Amino acid sequence: MADVLISTTENIPGHDYEVIGEVFGLTTQSKNMFSDIGASLKNIVGGEIKAYTDMLRESRETAIQRLKDEATSKGADAVVMMRFDSGSIGQDMQSVVAYGTAVKFK
């Protein structure tokens, strides 16, 4: 079985498709206490907080995989208009959702 194609555009060149419907993948993650302490110290001196950058990158990858899994379960060949949204839950949790429209190639 081929991998689900993910596109941030509405049209995929060379493909006609029918819309299946909305799909999404969601994850909520947090870092451990030691990462939080490091982030607090980095906040004082400035600069990138790599532990949180890595957490958000991992969250996006997980959200995309879950998006693909849902699209596959609905028989989709691709997801168009894929977008991300994210938000904080409390002070130490981050939620990331990948969403888009599942489509089936004609």
Side-chain angles (χ1 to χ4, degrees):
M1 175 164 50
D3 197 24
V4 173
L5 177 65
I6 303 294
S7 175
T8 58
T9 62
E10 182 177 358
N11 297 305
I12 301 171
H15 292 282
D16 289 327
Y17 54 78
E18 59 187 41
V19 172
I20 294 173
E22 178 184 304
V23 288
F24 68 94
L26 175 67
T27 185
T28 301
Q29 298 187 12
S30 68
K31 278 298 181 191
N32 63 42
M33 181 179 67
F34 297 110
S35 294
D36 287 338
I37 292 169
S40 295
L41 294 173
K42 193 67 159 183
N43 194 30
I44 294 169
V45 298
E48 181 179 10
I49 303 168
K50 291 192 186 291
Y52 284 99
T53 300
D54 291 343
M55 179 184 71
L56 288 172
R57 180 190 42 74
E58 181 182 317
S59 294
R60 285 180 140 205
E61 290 172 0
T62 299
I64 288 175
Q65 186 56 56
R66 290 178 180 171
L67 172 82
K68 286 180 176 184
D69 292 345
E70 184 173 348
T72 298
S73 75
K74 293 183 176 188
D77 294 312
V79 175
V80 295
M81 298 298 294
M82 193 281 295
R83 300 288 186 263
F84 286 109
D85 195 7
S86 64
S88 297
I89 301 172
Q91 291 183 332
D92 57 357
M93 290 181 277
Q94 185 72 28
S95 181
V96 174
V97 63
Y99 62 95
T101 303
V103 299
K104 179 85 175 157
F105 295 144
K106 291 183 179 179

